[in-house]
């Protein structure tokens, strides 16, 4: 059989090229420690690896989002912790201001101290988030939320809560509106509020009251009007429902005894001291009140003086009302802090899940694309031997010629 010289050369060159290409590819895999360097190496594995890589990138971004959310929530927690401490101080001031030995000057000093606390509270409510925005402005992060007024403070933000996606199907609020933290404070005992008329002449002090039967609550406004007649004086009271048209009598000519419970329509309270003829007390459904309004009213109460038994009773009624409202404001702040704690706990849980997912994704990518180094080194050595043999064989074959045999 005759074989043309060109055929020998062509076959040899193709074989050497194939072997060299194989070695170059294997060398690239070994240098990157990847079995799939280009999609053509394993189209199915490359496609699956792309999907896993995209999922891994999303998981990494969500981890970054959780880190940012944790930072924002931690900043808010620090501010609310300071608000809690400040409101606790205000509560202590309310209690100490009721000291029977205090003079009007002493209470005026307490009022001045409260003005400082009010300014501090406004500063905390107008805290920034470290990114140039206000913490409690809702979506209006560029707008200062609170501006002081004669009766407390006006809110300029909105009710929005900025949110960050922390999971594939979960977003978490990273802020709270100023209304939710500082203004949504139920007055009185949370269901209704008692108060004494400013025109009272006697020394009656009304309690904040309790709910004894929720099924009988009407949500109406009531008046307790006192009548003092005779000698010796006999004190009675009438209870009127002012929410009906015309106002309707609930109880009439009830004998009054200091400290005795007064119960009607699911509510119970007591009045201590000696009301004067014509004195009036009221109950009304609880309303939402700003903590700034509460403190401002407290300052006015302390500066109002306490002359005689009537003045002392008015002071005590005002302090009791302020104490209830400050407690309500403190409860609202503690509820907000509890919600922040729950969000931080959820972030920790999702971080743990995200970490597990990263391990899973890395393992899957390794199975799909990583190179078996032992097998690769073995294959590389084998191909190196094969290439060397092919090169020597080609050299020998290309040197053959009929003239070698003739001359021999």
């Amino acid at each position: 059989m005759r074989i043309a010289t060109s055929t020998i050369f062509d076959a040899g060159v193709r074989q050497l090229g194939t072997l060299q290409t194989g070695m170059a590819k294997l060398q690239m895999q070994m240098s990157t420690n990847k079995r799939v360097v280009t999609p053509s190496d394993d189209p199915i594995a490359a496609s699956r690896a792309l999907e896993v890589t995209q999922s891994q990138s999303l998981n990494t971004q969500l981890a970054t989002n959780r880190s940012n959310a944790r930072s924002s929530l931690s900043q808010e927690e620090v501010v609310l912790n300071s608000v809690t401490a400040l409101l606790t101080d205000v509560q202590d001031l309310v209690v100490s201001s009721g000291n029977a030995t205090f003079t009007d000057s002493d209470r005026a000093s307490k009022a001045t101290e409260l003005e400082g606390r009010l300014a501090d509270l406004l500063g905390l409510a107008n805290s920034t988030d470290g990114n140039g925005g206000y913490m409690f402005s809702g979506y209006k992060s560029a707008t200062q939320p609170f501006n002081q007024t004669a009766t407390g403070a006006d809110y300029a933000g909105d009710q929005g809560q900025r949110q960050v996606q922390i999971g594939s199907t979960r977003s978490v609020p990273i802020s709270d509106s100023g209304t939710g933290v500082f203004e949504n404070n139920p007055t009185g005992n949370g269901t209704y509020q008692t108060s004494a008329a400013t025109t009272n002449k006697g020394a009656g002090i009304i309690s904040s009251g309790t709910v004894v039967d929720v099924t009988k609550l009407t949500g109406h406004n009531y008046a307790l009007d006192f009548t003092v007649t005779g000698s010796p004086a006999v004190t009675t009271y009438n209870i009127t429902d002012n929410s009906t048209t015309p106002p309707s009598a609930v109880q009439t000519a009830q004998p009054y005894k200091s400290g005795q419970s007064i119960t009607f329509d699911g509510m119970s309270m007591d009045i201590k001291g000696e009301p004067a003829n014509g004195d009036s007390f009221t109950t009304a459904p609880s309303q939402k009140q700003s903590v700034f309004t509460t403190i401002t009213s407290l300052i006015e109460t302390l500066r109002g003086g306490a002359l005689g038994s009537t003045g002392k009773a008015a002071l005590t009624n005002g302090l009791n009302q302020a104490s209830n409202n400050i407690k309500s404001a403190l409860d609202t702040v503690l509820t907000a802090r509890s919600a922040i704690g729950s969000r931080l706990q959820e972030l920790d849980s999702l971080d743990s899940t995200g970490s597990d997912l990263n391990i899973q994704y890395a393992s899957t990518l390794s199975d799909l694309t990583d190179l078996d180094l032992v097998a690769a080194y073995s294959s590389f050595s084998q191909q190196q031997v094969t290439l060397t043999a092919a090169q020597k064989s080609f050299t020998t074959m290309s040197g053959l010629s009929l003239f070698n045999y003739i001359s021999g």
Side-chain angles (χ1 to χ4, degrees), residues 162-240:
R162 297 188 294 278
Q163 301 204 6
V164 169
Q165 186 173 355
I166 58 172
S168 56
T169 59
R170 179 74 175 104
S171 296
V172 68
I174 60 169
S175 69
D176 291 284
S177 71
T179 295
V181 176
F182 298 99
E183 295 192 315
N184 285 344
N185 308 309
T187 54
N189 59 26
T191 302
Y192 63 91
Q193 177 174 335
T194 61
S195 59
T198 57
T199 56
N200 284 359
K201 303 299 183 183
I205 300 171
I206 190 168
S207 68
S208 58
T210 59
V211 175
V212 293
D213 190 343
V214 69
T215 63
K216 294 182 179 180
L217 294 176
T218 63
H220 290 183
N221 297 315
Y222 297 88
L224 287 79
D225 299 309
F226 282 78
T227 302
V228 181
T229 57
S231 180
V234 175
T235 304
T236 60
Y237 63 87
N238 299 324
I239 301 176
T240 305

Side-chain angles (χ1 to χ4, degrees), residues 366-379:
S366 177
D367 292 341
L368 289 170
T369 64
D370 279 3
L371 183 69
D372 184 343
L373 286 176
V374 175
Y377 280 123
S378 176
S379 180

Side-chain angles (χ1 to χ4, degrees), residues 112-329:
T112 300
E113 189 174 350
L114 275 171
E115 286 178 334
R117 293 288 193 276
L118 178 59
D120 292 341
L121 184 60
L122 277 166
L124 290 171
N126 289 327
S127 297
T128 56
D129 57 12
N131 296 316
Y134 289 97
M135 193 174 294
F136 299 107
S137 288
Y139 293 134
K140 297 182 177 180
S141 59
T143 302
Q144 178 175 302
F146 290 100
N147 298 288
Q148 190 169 6
T149 65
T151 58
D154 286 337
Y155 181 61
D158 59 28
Q159 309 309 312
Q161 286 183 296
R162 297 188 294 278
Q163 301 204 6
V164 169
Q165 186 173 355
I166 58 172
S168 56
T169 59
R170 179 74 175 104
S171 296
V172 68
I174 60 169
S175 69
D176 291 284
S177 71
T179 295
V181 176
F182 298 99
E183 295 192 315
N184 285 344
N185 308 309
T187 54
N189 59 26
T191 302
Y192 63 91
Q193 177 174 335
T194 61
S195 59
T198 57
T199 56
N200 284 359
K201 303 299 183 183
I205 300 171
I206 190 168
S207 68
S208 58
T210 59
V211 175
V212 293
D213 190 343
V214 69
T215 63
K216 294 182 179 180
L217 294 176
T218 63
H220 290 183
N221 297 315
Y222 297 88
L224 287 79
D225 299 309
F226 282 78
T227 302
V228 181
T229 57
S231 180
V234 175
T235 304
T236 60
Y237 63 87
N238 299 324
I239 301 176
T240 305
D241 185 345
N242 288 327
S243 294
T244 62
T245 305
S248 58
V250 178
Q251 295 179 13
T252 58
Q254 296 295 309
Y256 167 74
K257 182 178 180 181
S258 178
Q260 188 175 53
S261 294
I262 300 174
T263 302
F264 59 95
D265 289 353
M267 300 179 291
S268 180
M269 65 213 67
D270 64 71
I271 297 174
K272 294 182 174 68
E274 298 300 328
N277 185 49
D279 280 2
S280 180
F281 299 85
T282 60
T283 70
S286 293
Q287 305 294 323
K288 302 295 185 181
Q289 181 168 293
S290 165
V291 66
F292 305 109
T293 299
T294 296
I295 295 177
T296 301
S297 298
L298 175 58
I299 292 171
E300 293 175 356
T301 297
L302 291 175
R303 287 203 166 124
L307 295 175
S309 59
T310 299
K312 290 179 180 178
L315 172 66
T316 301
N317 282 320
L319 290 177
N320 289 343
Q321 193 173 86
S323 180
N324 288 330
N325 293 342
I326 290 295
K327 179 181 180 299
S328 176

